[in-house]
Amino acid sequence: MNPKSHTLFHFTKNKEVLKVILKGGFWPRYCPEDVSWLSYPGFDFVAYPMVCFCDIPLSRIQDHVKFYGDFGIGLTREWALQNNATPVHYVSKGNNLIETYRRLSSVSSHLEGNGKNDFRKSFRYLLAHSKPTVGQMVVNGDLVEKEFYQEPEWRCVPQSDEIEDHLSKSKFEDVEKLELFNEATLQHYKLEFTPKDIKYIFVKNDSDIPDLISFMQSDLGHFPYADIQILMSKVISLESISLDL
């Protein structure tokens, strides 16, 4: 059994969200990340803008979709690399790397002016690609224990002067402010793809397929029709393949 996939998957709980992705691509949204493993007083969660994928093989996809949702898209690894995606760095609790991160963060206190700001941005960019092997995740407002390293996750994290590189917990929990910050990522950073970059499109049930096919025919006219025909052949229901996984 191949422990990795050559396809990067992104799943969502909503078919309408899948349609938005197919029509306009991905856009990063701020996601709260467990940073308690760094043991900073008063910091348990920080939100970074990102689009997340996993490269687990299809044989292990069932547990993943139960958690993240039954509608998804699989893109080529070549597309991911061209769009600056990279696997995250997992750190086990108690590992000496944690102290290394803490020493790195203290460097900024010895810098001044633009040097301090540039260092802090670079360090936060590093943290945006780092997470504990096991930690907590916010799901519908509740904290859920998760073995993150089993996913394994890839991320696209934007870097732009027009986008906040992180949000504090208080800003993330302010619904109106969060909407504005997410709108900024939509305006300044999108991840687009073509039908040729897509290897799979997943829906929950066989009954979801006709609606998605109809959507492709009516709403994806900005792509060549020949590409749309090929794209329609890539729609698979998790219901139909569940016995083979």
Side-chain angles (χ1 to χ4, degrees), residues 91-106:
V91 181
S92 59
K93 292 184 178 179
N95 189 277
N96 291 336
L97 278 171
I98 296 175
E99 183 57 34
T100 301
Y101 274 102
R102 291 175 60 83
R103 287 200 299 269
L104 278 174
S105 69
S106 67

Side-chain angles (χ1 to χ4, degrees), residues 37-242:
W37 56 280
L38 288 166
S39 300
Y40 289 135
F43 285 89
D44 50 359
F45 283 87
V46 173
Y48 302 106
M50 65 182 74
V51 179
C52 302
F53 304 89
C54 72
D55 71 351
I56 59 178
L58 284 175
S59 58
R60 289 181 47 216
I61 208 73
Q62 283 185 312
D63 287 341
H64 191 80
V65 301
K66 285 178 183 178
F67 192 87
Y68 289 101
D70 302 284
F71 299 91
I73 183 171
L75 292 147
T76 66
R77 186 172 296 202
E78 290 75 17
W79 173 87
L81 294 174
Q82 289 170 5
N83 285 275
N84 205 33
T86 187
V88 303
H89 181 206
Y90 293 101
V91 181
S92 59
K93 292 184 178 179
N95 189 277
N96 291 336
L97 278 171
I98 296 175
E99 183 57 34
T100 301
Y101 274 102
R102 291 175 60 83
R103 287 200 299 269
L104 278 174
S105 69
S106 67
V107 170
S108 65
S109 63
H110 303 291
L111 301 175
E112 296 181 356
N114 291 333
K116 175 178 285 191
N117 293 332
D118 291 344
F119 179 87
R120 286 179 172 175
K121 284 186 177 182
S122 296
F123 183 67
R124 286 193 291 262
Y125 190 68
L126 176 64
L127 289 181
H129 293 87
S130 307
K131 64 192 308 180
T133 54
V134 178
Q136 293 183 316
M137 184 174 179
V138 179
V139 180
N140 297 324
D142 298 321
L143 292 179
V144 177
E145 195 77 9
K146 194 85 167 66
E147 292 183 346
F148 294 120
Y149 73 95
Q150 289 193 3
E151 294 187 342
E153 185 179 343
W154 288 55
R155 285 182 181 171
C156 292
V157 179
Q159 284 186 304
S160 170
D161 291 337
E162 306 295 335
I163 298 172
E164 293 291 334
D165 60 5
H166 78 294
L167 298 180
S168 64
K169 185 178 180 180
S170 60
K171 286 184 179 179
F172 177 82
E173 292 176 342
D174 187 315
V175 177
E176 293 183 357
K177 288 183 179 180
L178 178 60
E179 184 176 349
L180 292 175
F181 288 123
N182 282 328
E183 183 66 25
T185 67
L186 174 61
Q187 294 297 322
H188 299 287
Y189 189 94
K190 290 186 68 175
L191 291 171
E192 297 179 338
F193 50 80
T194 70
K196 294 179 180 179
D197 298 315
I198 299 173
K199 295 183 68 175
Y200 303 96
I201 298 172
F202 294 100
V203 294
K204 183 176 182 179
N205 299 310
D206 290 346
S207 59
D208 294 307
I209 295 178
D211 176 59
L212 194 63
I213 295 297
S214 177
F215 165 80
M216 291 178 178
Q217 294 173 325
S218 63
D219 286 56
L220 299 186
H222 51 293
F223 295 123
Y225 185 66
D227 289 351
I228 300 302
Q229 288 180 304
I230 295 174
L231 192 62
M232 290 188 290
S233 71
K234 297 179 180 181
V235 180
I236 305 170
S237 81
L238 292 170
E239 176 187 31
S240 66
I241 65 171
S242 60

